[in-house]
Structures are given as structure tokens and as C-alpha cells.
């Protein structure tokens, strides 16, 4: 488990003084994945550097499994930092070392025997599905494979916290998914606390248990992913909900934007609401995803304009809220 309390980072003095992190407090339980999102310059990478103490925080504490890392002497800190593994964007591998040699790096620094290193490296590469690539150099690996090597290296010293700063940035969607799946698997198997920094909202949906949005160095909003997604007043929830690509409404139809509002929307609500209204509602677009066992997202429906607000009333019953475009698409030749 990792706990940050009143973490602050200030760069510069006097006129140059910039508060990059301002009183950040949050914790990530063992087995939990917290996604940290936020615009460029919000302070996400600075936060990562302060968490693993590559950069000393100006004030506040970083507590891992009960020990405050900010109060340790340089010697003790060197040991304690092993509890935090870090994965960076584009993996940050050493180009002149093979995959195996990259993974062995942290072990070599520790003075582990050659036999032990070889055994542990083989285990780690197997864990990330790269046994076959042990002797390959980074330039011979795909982006996803490089990230896997980076992850294996981050796990070499058996950390309890894994910190990932834009680890999936620049990867195509399929590769991103495979890295996300690997991280979730590792979280389950090793009971890791993972801090996953990203600017990709769709990746957050796939990986996070909870989300914090950093803005100008402060946490603007945070909460459990499922709670944010089902909270109509949450702006972070609104940003996270999948976007729809809508088809055009038919003539005489009014377009309704329907959002899942309740955790128990029946899966056959479209046919039930159609039955209630005595017309077939047509789906113009949909983007619904199951997150934490709950359907979230939205559907765009076309309904005969003459039904008016009866559509909204029919949907509320099933735990859905519906907003309509201001005007119906006119019947051909009538407008
Ligand atoms: N060493 C430094 N000295 C002074 N200012 C710094 C330093 N490092 C970062 N900053 C400033 O801190 C702010 C946050 O930077 P940071 O890299 O943490 O943002 P970020 O959220 O990771 O952005 P991005 O999404 O672009 O990676 C920026 O305004 C940056 O200029
Ligand atoms: Mg950054």
C-alpha cells in the first residue's frame, strides 16, 4: 500500500517560484490500480518522480507499507526505494543491452550472484511472455514488447508499488490492451498497488479501480471509477464515458441521448421501452462498456417525434436518463 500525505513540490525561488504539486493526498491499497489523469503540465510526471523519490518532495510524506520514505537516510532510502518499481513511456531501455540484460540491471546493482540473476531474469521474462526474446536488443522488439521488458525490469526487485508514467503512450490500441491486461494480471498475482499515469481516457476505463484528476498541481476530482461513471454531476465521469459515433436520425424522428444512470439497468431495456411505447426505438449509436460489473456509457436513440416527452418518461423507469436534441428531423418535404 502507498499513501501520499500533503505532498508538495516547489521549483525555484522568489520570482521563479512555481508550485508544481500542491498538497496532494491519496492512497492506493495493495491490489488497487489508481489512474492519474490530467492535462499536459498538470504535474503528473513530477508526481511520479516524487513518489519514487527520484526528486525529493518539498514537503509531505510518501509512505509505503507503513514506512515514510521521505524521512529515511540516503542508505536506508536506497533499500526502501526497491519497494517501488517504475515503468516509463517508451520503456527507457538501454539500447546496447539485450532484453535479458536490461531486466538484470537492477539485480546487478544489488550484487546478486550470476546464477541467481539468470534464474530471476528467466522468471521475469517468462512472467511477461518474452522468454523467446531474451537475447533480442530493444531495436529488434515491438513497442509492446519493449514495454514488457520495462515492466519485467520494474518488477525485478519485487516491489509492492508499481508506478507507470505514460507506459502505453504511443502504442496502438491492441498493444495497449495487451499491456493493460498484463498490468492487471500482475496486480492480481503480486497484489501490487499500481499508480498508472496516462492522458488516455479509454485506457483508464480498461485499467483503473479508481481515478484522480490532477490539474495545476492539485487533485481536482477523484473517486472510484464506477462511482464517477454513474455520478451525473461528475465532470471527470463525463470525460471518462465512452464517446458515441452516431448515425443520423430518420425523417420524423427525434434524437435522444440516453445515459446509464443506475447500476441495475436491465440489459433488454430497449425492447422493453419499445414495448411500453408501442413503437420500435431505433439505435443510432451506442457506446456501452461494462466496468466493474456495471454498464456505463450511452446510447443514442431515434424515436418518432410525435411521442414527445413520453420517451424520457419510459426510459427513467429503467434507470436511464434521456436528453433530446432541440429539434426533430423534419419529415421530408414538410419543413
Ligand atoms: N525541474 C523543473 N524545474 C522547474 N519546473 C519544472 C521542472 N520539472 C517540471 N517542471 C514544471 O512542472 C510542471 C509539471 O510538469 P510535469 O512534467 O509534471 O507535467 P505532466 O503532467 O507530466 O505533463 P505531460 O502530460 O506533458 O507529461 C510544468 O509546468 C513544468 O514546466
Ligand atoms: Mg508527463
Amino acid at each position: 500500500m502507498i499513501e501520499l500525505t500533503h505532498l508538495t513540490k516547489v521549483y525555484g525561488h522568489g520570482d521563479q517560484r512555481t508550485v508544481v504539486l500542491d498538497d496532494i493526498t491519496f492512497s492506493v491499497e495493495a491490489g488497487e490500480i489508481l489512474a492519474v489523469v490530467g492535462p499536459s503540465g498538470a504535474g503528473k510526471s513530477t508526481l511520479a518522480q516524487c513518489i519514487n523519490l527520484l526528486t525529493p518532495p518539498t514537503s509531505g510524506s510518501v509512505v509505503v507499507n507503513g514506512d515514510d520514505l521521505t524521512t529515511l537516510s540516503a542508505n536506508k532510502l536506497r533499500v526502501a526505494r526497491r519497494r517501488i518499481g517504475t515503468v516509463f513511456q517508451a520503456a527507457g531501455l538501454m539500447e546496447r543491452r539485450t532484453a535479458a540484460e536490461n531486466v538484470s540491471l537492477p539485480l546487478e546493482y544489488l550484487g546478486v550472484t550470476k546464477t541467481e540473476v539468470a534464474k530471476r531474469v528467466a522468471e521475469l521474462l517468462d512472467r511477461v511472455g518474452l522468454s523467446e526474446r531474451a537475447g533480442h536488443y530493444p531495436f529488434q522488439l515491438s513497442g509492446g514488447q519493449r514495454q514488457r521488458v520495462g515492466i519485467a525490469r520494474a518488477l525485478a526487485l519485487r516491489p509492492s508499488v508499481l508506478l507507470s508514467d505514460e507506459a502505453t503512450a504511443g502504442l496502438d490500441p491492441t498493444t495497449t490492451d495487451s499491456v493493460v491486461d498484463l498490468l492487471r494480471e500482475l496486480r492480481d498475482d503480486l497484489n501490487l498497488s499500481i499508480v498508472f499515469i496516462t492522458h488516455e481516457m479509454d485506457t483508464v476505463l480498461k485499467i483503473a479501480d479508481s481515478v484522480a484528476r490532477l490539474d495545476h498541481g492539485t487533485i481536482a476530482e477523484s473517486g472510484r471509477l464506477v462511482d464517477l461513471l454513474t455520478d451525473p454531476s461528475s465532470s471527470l465521469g463525463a470525460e471518462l464515458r465512452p464517446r458515441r459515433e452516431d448515425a443520423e436520425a430518420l425523417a420524423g424522428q427525434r434524437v435522444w441521448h440516453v445515459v446509464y444512470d443506475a447500476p441495475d439497468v436491465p440489459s433488454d431495456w430497449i425492447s422493453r421501452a419499445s414495448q411500453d411505447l408501442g413503437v420500435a426505438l431505433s439505435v443510432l449509436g451506442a457506446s456501452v462498456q461494462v466496468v466493474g460489473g456495471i454498464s456505463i456509457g450511452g446510447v443514442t436513440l431515434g424515436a418518432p417525434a410525435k411521442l414527445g416527452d413520453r420517451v424520457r418518461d419510459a426510459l427513467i423507469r429503467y434507470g436511464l436518463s434521456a436528453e433530446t436534441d432541440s429539434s426533430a428531423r423534419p419529415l421530408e418535404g414538410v419543413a
Side-chain angles (χ1 to χ4, degrees):
M1 173 180 190
I2 182 161
E3 296 163 275
L4 306 193
T5 321
H6 304 305
L7 194 80
T8 298
K9 181 68 191 179
V10 181
Y11 281 114
H13 301 278
D15 291 352
Q16 307 289 316
R17 190 173 180 274
T18 333
V19 181
V20 178
L21 296 176
D22 187 6
D23 198 20
I24 306 284
T25 296
F26 65 73
S27 62
V28 189
E29 301 287 334
E32 182 187 352
I33 302 180
L34 169 76
V36 177
V37 300
S40 185
K44 303 184 297 296
S45 294
T46 308
L47 178 67
Q49 287 159 16
C50 285
I51 291 178
N52 65 20
L53 293 147
L54 277 174
T55 303
T58 307
S59 61
S61 61
V62 178
V63 177
V64 180
N65 301 340
D67 294 325
D68 184 352
L69 305 192
T70 49
T71 61
L72 299 178
S73 65
N75 269 339
K76 287 195 168 143
L77 178 60
R78 206 169 305 136
V79 177
R81 283 191 54 213
R82 292 178 204 156
R83 297 180 198 173
I84 304 174
T86 308
V87 192
F88 300 99
Q89 180 169 5
L93 302 180
M94 301 188 74
E95 294 297 326
R96 303 177 72 165
R97 286 182 149 240
T98 63
E101 287 164 354
N102 268 284
V103 176
S104 70
L105 213 56
L107 297 161
E108 286 165 24
Y109 285 139
L110 274 192
V112 180
T113 66
K114 271 197 166 149
T115 340
E116 277 174 81
V117 170
K119 182 167 167 262
R120 179 91 181 113
V121 168
E123 259 171 38
L124 286 160
L125 285 175
D126 181 48
R127 191 66 200 71
V128 299
L130 281 182
S131 298
E132 319 278 88
R133 309 280 156 154
H136 284 55
Y137 287 89
F139 75 89
Q140 297 171 310
L141 300 171
S142 71
Q145 289 167 340
R146 293 167 65 100
Q147 271 318 343
R148 283 164 188 274
V149 175
I151 292 168
R153 183 183 55 189
L155 294 175
L157 303 179
R158 303 183 198 279
S160 48
V161 177
L162 189 69
L163 194 56
S164 154
D165 188 5
E166 302 283 2
T168 55
L171 300 181
D172 63 67
T174 317
T175 312
T176 295
D177 284 357
S178 78
V179 171
V180 163
D181 288 346
L182 174 64
L183 290 174
R184 292 182 60 101
E185 224 174 87
L186 293 168
R187 178 274 302 269
D188 293 342
D189 294 353
L190 308 174
N191 207 28
L192 294 169
S193 304
I194 299 184
V195 180
F196 186 87
I197 295 171
T198 184
H199 62 271
E200 301 159 347
M201 291 300 190
D202 47 341
T203 308
V204 173
L205 286 181
K206 290 171 192 154
I207 198 166
D209 300 305
S210 45
V211 191
R213 183 176 57 194
L214 203 58
D215 208 347
H216 292 95
T218 61
I219 295 193
E221 204 181 341
S222 66
R224 285 191 345 119
L225 176 61
V226 171
D227 294 343
L228 293 168
L229 289 171
T230 51
D231 176 358
S233 68
S234 162
S235 65
L236 180 52
E239 272 176 68
L240 286 163
R241 271 179 222 120
R243 304 253 174 278
R244 300 180 289 262
E245 300 284 337
D246 294 344
E248 215 181 323
L250 297 174
Q253 279 189 336
R254 187 182 283 267
V255 174
W256 290 88
H257 299 285
V258 182
V259 174
Y260 285 63
D261 249 358
D264 52 359
V265 175
S267 57
D268 60 348
W269 63 269
I270 295 178
S271 58
R272 282 162 72 173
S274 297
Q275 216 156 39
D276 297 347
L277 290 164
V279 295
L281 297 169
S282 47
V283 176
L284 303 174
S287 187
V288 179
Q289 223 168 305
V290 179
V291 176
I294 295 178
S295 300
I296 55 107
V299 174
T300 306
L301 293 178
K306 61 178 186 328
L307 289 176
D309 280 344
R310 285 175 52 208
V311 177
R312 183 185 286 116
D313 301 338
L315 294 172
I316 284 172
R317 252 175 273 158
Y318 298 110
L320 302 148
S321 66
E323 288 306 321
T324 183
D325 286 355
S326 48
S327 60
R329 191 161 172 244
L331 287 163
E332 301 303 302
V334 173

